[in-house]
Amino acid sequence: MADVDAVLLATGGYDHTIRLWQPHSGVCHRTLQHPESQVNALSVTPDKQLIAAAGFQCVRLYDVHGCNPNPVINCDGVQKNITAVGFHGDGRWMFTAGEDGKVRIWDLRSRNPQSQRTLSVSSVINTAVLHPNQVTIIAGDRSGVLHIWDLKSNQSEKLVVSADNAITCIDIDREASMLAVASNNGVCHIYTLRGSFDSEERLILNPKTVINCHDKYVIKCRFSHDSTLLATTSSDSTIKIWRTCDFTLKSTLANASQRWVWDCSFSADPQYLISASSDAVARLWNVESTKIIREYSGHQKAIVSMAFYDGNSTE
């Protein structure tokens, strides 16, 4: 992994706290209180100065490096749980998505930002991701539909992935060549991506393959930074690692005390992965050996979100 000083690991959960860890030592060096709700999702700003915590009806942004225990930016006025949060590449704006069926764009130049633009859909949104082109947001909803929102034209398209199964997570690889769409029936749909809304050719999703990943819910799907691996986490208490060259199973990461695995992230070096679980423990794994290298214990309830930066990329 990267130099110790360049690494950031944050975990959040149902104990209403966010913990910042030293990944190499397993030491929690700071705990931030998030008293209003559980922490549904975490994301670090591109300059690595702030961390956004998405909860019930709000997003709170905290100073990562200072001593201020209180949020420095507050985003309110949302109904129901916020399920996804992320940032434009230059940090000018933030996007959120949630159970109220809305994707929102927030201008971060104010300390109390208001939602500037909104995409409304007819179902609960479980997940959303910003395409590397920085102008397209793809959201997945409970009815099994993808919503592709072109921010330049303010137009959106729909793609039905599975009419009978909720979409639980979306991820795009860094090369913007593949899209993974996880569902609550244990399946992950893989699409190839072609074109983009920032050019004359529109973004086109072509079905590539379907992976029968788990016997229960797939909760998260994450590509490695070099696009060679895909990790899927599940309510079956396992993480599975798939080779993207042919989407065959490479390894399974499991532990007797691990329960639902809610989140995960690869290191910049894809042989390492960190996971977050309902047993209130985050774990650093060696993907090759399938062994646990380190555990991060301290949360009192389930860890359901995490953000990890190790000098190359942010999850």
Side-chain angles (χ1 to χ4, degrees):
M1 294 191 343
D3 179 75
V4 175
D5 294 332
V7 178
L8 169 66
L9 172 63
T11 55
Y14 273 84
D15 61 359
H16 294 205
T17 68
I18 302 157
R19 290 180 175 264
L20 304 181
W21 305 86
Q22 296 173 349
H24 292 79
S25 66
V27 172
C28 175
H29 62 86
R30 191 173 171 207
T31 300
L32 299 169
Q33 301 299 320
H34 190 264
E36 292 159 300
S37 78
Q38 76 281 355
V39 181
N40 297 323
L42 291 169
S43 184
V44 180
T45 54
D47 63 5
K48 314 303 178 291
Q49 298 303 305
L50 302 176
I51 187 165
F56 180 68
Q57 299 185 332
C58 67
V59 177
R60 302 288 181 247
L61 281 80
Y62 299 85
D63 186 346
V64 171
H65 303 289
C67 298
N68 185 356
N70 300 312
V72 295
I73 298 176
N74 298 284
C75 300
D76 296 294
V78 178
Q79 300 298 314
K80 302 184 180 181
N81 276 301
I82 298 173
T83 56
V85 61
F87 296 93
H88 185 270
D90 64 8
R92 288 180 301 170
W93 50 261
M94 176 180 74
F95 71 89
T96 61
E99 292 179 350
D100 62 355
K102 298 182 186 301
V103 182
R104 290 179 168 88
I105 303 296
W106 305 79
D107 187 338
L108 294 178
R109 289 173 290 189
S110 166
R111 288 198 171 272
N112 291 286
Q114 301 297 313
S115 174
Q116 301 295 312
R117 301 172 65 182
T118 303
L119 172 70
S120 298
V121 306
S122 59
S123 182
V124 166
I125 299 176
N126 292 326
T127 178
V129 65
L130 178 64
H131 189 286
N133 66 18
Q134 303 294 301
V135 296
T136 308
I137 294 176
I138 303 178
D141 72 23
R142 185 177 289 177
S143 67
V145 176
L146 286 178
H147 302 271
I148 306 165
W149 185 17
D150 170 18
L151 299 175
K152 277 193 170 182
S153 67
N154 201 33
Q155 296 178 347
S156 66
E157 296 184 35
K158 296 180 182 179
L159 174 65
V160 178
V161 176
S162 175
D164 299 321
N165 298 286
I167 295 172
T168 54
C169 187
I170 301 168
D171 198 31
I172 301 175
D173 76 314
R174 295 186 75 191
E175 298 174 356
S177 63
M178 293 179 288
L179 172 75
V181 183
S183 300
N184 66 352
N185 63 341
V187 165
C188 192
H189 296 258
I190 306 298
Y191 294 84
T192 58
L193 299 179
R194 182 169 63 84
S196 175
F197 279 125
D198 66 349
S199 66
E200 293 183 1
E201 185 179 18
R202 70 185 183 90
L203 184 65
I204 298 174
L205 281 64
N206 291 313
K208 180 177 178 65
T209 191
V210 177
I211 314 171
N212 293 305
C213 304
H214 299 268
D215 293 331
K216 298 182 179 180
Y217 293 173
V218 181
I219 301 176
K220 279 291 188 296
C221 54
R222 297 285 190 231
F223 285 104
S224 62
H225 302 314
D226 64 359
S227 303
T228 62
L229 300 174
L230 174 71
T232 57
T233 78
S234 174
S235 59
D236 68 7
S237 305
T238 69
I239 306 143
K240 292 190 177 181
I241 310 298
W242 307 87
R243 305 176 184 90
T244 59
C245 60
D246 55 9
F247 290 98
T248 56
L249 182 64
K250 174 181 175 67
S251 59
T252 300
L253 311 179
N255 177 269
S257 62
Q258 184 167 262
R259 290 184 282 170
W260 286 37
V261 186
W262 287 92
D263 209 345
C264 72
S265 176
F266 281 99
S267 168
D269 180 343
Q271 70 175 306
Y272 301 107
L273 178 137
I274 297 180
S275 64
S277 171
S278 284
D279 64 355
V281 177
R283 294 176 173 88
L284 172 63
W285 301 83
N286 184 305
V287 171
E288 294 293 332
S289 68
T290 73
K291 301 297 184 183
I292 296 171
I293 300 171
R294 189 159 292 107
E295 294 189 335
Y296 307 92
S297 301
H299 282 278
Q300 301 304 305
K301 294 183 179 180
I303 305 174
V304 296
S305 57
M306 58 173 286
F308 179 50
Y309 172 77
D310 64 347
N312 188 22
S313 184
T314 303
E315 291 283 345

